[in-house]
Amino acid sequence: GENVEQHPSTLSVQEGDSAVIKCTYSDSASNYFPWYKQELGKGPQLIIDIRSNVGEKKDQRIAVTLNKTAKHFSLHITETQPEDSAVYFCAASKRDRLAFGKGNQVVVIP
Amino acid sequence: DSGVTQTPKHLITATGQRVTLRCSPRSGDLSVYWYQQSLDQGLQFLIQYYNGEERAKGNILERFSAQQFPDLHSELNLSSLELGDSALYFCASSVGTGWDEQFFGPGTRLTVL
């Protein structure tokens, strides 16, 4: 099955700086790559996703890039704010089931 | 609030027991997914139902079973519980299948003593 890995496991950034989280996947047939944000005590929430026919997608301060040849994709958060502190999960899918990475704890230091 | 509801919020039980977790999807969503979240394994896909039928199966143990009812709510049954089953169990729902966004509920925290 699909195997998704995330790096780094914990990331601390100063408020206003950028944060980048990288994920790699194993199944070259995967074609859908969502990112979820999980705040303490809540379920994961989709923040951005990308299909395999697109290399980059932006939504305000958040962007995702996909390199299908290398089988990796990244989440970029610019101008980080304290409310960006959370656990971020990447996932990969080729049909219905999502295979999640183990998550990154992002801490934004005011 | 995602619109997905899960009950109960917390559940404490003993080894060997059986519990039922309940999920109500967002209005209009036909798919329900169950996930297990533990510290060492992360988010693991267990099973998906679409309009009452099992659609996809993941790393679900034989001691676990699920079903989706005609009103589209779903139940996850966990039996012969072991200490290692202690985890957060999430339900998610989506309109259809494939690339539809999955909306997660707040989860049920299961503690097996």
Side-chain angles (χ1 to χ4, degrees):
Chain A
E2 175 65 272
N3 183 43
V4 179
E5 294 190 0
Q6 282 184 250
H7 304 278
S9 58
T10 304
L11 179 63
S12 295
V13 296
Q14 289 290 332
E15 182 178 355
D17 287 350
S18 294
V20 181
I21 304 169
K22 298 179 182 179
C23 283
T24 59
Y25 60 98
S26 61
D27 191 342
S28 57
S30 289
N31 51 19
Y32 174 58
F33 308 92
W35 284 90
Y36 283 81
K37 175 183 180 182
Q38 186 176 21
E39 297 174 343
L40 198 61
K42 296 184 178 180
Q45 179 181 13
L46 180 73
I47 55 172
I48 195 166
D49 58 13
I50 192 167
R51 269 71 163 151
S52 61
N53 57 344
V54 175
E56 183 176 1
K57 183 176 177 180
K58 283 184 181 179
D59 183 3
Q60 298 181 5
R61 297 186 297 108
I62 294 172
V64 57
T65 58
L66 172 65
N67 184 327
K68 286 220 76 180
T69 304
K71 289 189 286 187
H72 68 70
F73 55 114
S74 300
L75 177 71
H76 304 254
I77 307 173
T78 59
E79 300 172 19
T80 52
Q81 299 168 6
E83 54 264 36
D84 294 328
S85 294
V87 177
Y88 292 81
F89 291 93
C90 63
S93 169
K94 59 182 176 183
R95 283 198 299 272
D96 297 324
R97 67 182 70 187
L98 289 173
F100 283 87
K102 291 195 175 181
N104 292 92
Q105 175 76 56
V106 173
V107 178
V108 179
I109 304 166
Chain B
D1 185 359
S2 67
V4 177
T5 60
Q6 289 187 247
T7 56
K9 196 171 177 61
H10 301 279
L11 199 48
I12 301 174
T13 188
T15 53
Q17 295 298 304
R18 173 189 169 94
V19 297
T20 297
L21 313 184
R22 183 187 168 100
C23 167
S24 293
R26 292 188 324 153
S27 176
D29 284 359
L30 297 179
S31 274
V32 169
Y33 309 78
W34 285 99
Y35 293 88
Q36 181 191 58
Q37 185 176 40
S38 59
L39 280 173
D40 56 341
Q41 292 296 320
L43 263 169
Q44 297 283 318
F45 167 73
L46 297 178
I47 197 164
Q48 179 206 359
Y49 279 81
Y50 175 74
N51 203 20
E53 299 290 328
E54 183 183 304
R55 175 83 176 194
K57 218 167 190 176
N59 302 322
I60 188 166
L61 300 172
E62 285 193 13
R63 300 183 286 107
F64 296 0
S65 65
Q67 54 184 325
Q68 186 179 27
F69 295 87
D71 67 352
L72 301 177
H73 90 271
S74 178
E75 291 181 356
L76 179 67
N77 300 295
L78 315 176
S79 61
S80 303
L81 285 167
E82 303 174 359
L83 296 178
D85 297 328
S86 295
L88 262 171
Y89 290 85
F90 286 104
C91 164
S93 73
S94 67
V95 173
T97 62
W99 290 352
D100 290 334
E101 177 180 354
Q102 295 185 25
F103 293 85
F104 282 75
T108 293
R109 180 171 292 281
L110 173 66
T111 302
V112 182
L113 301 175

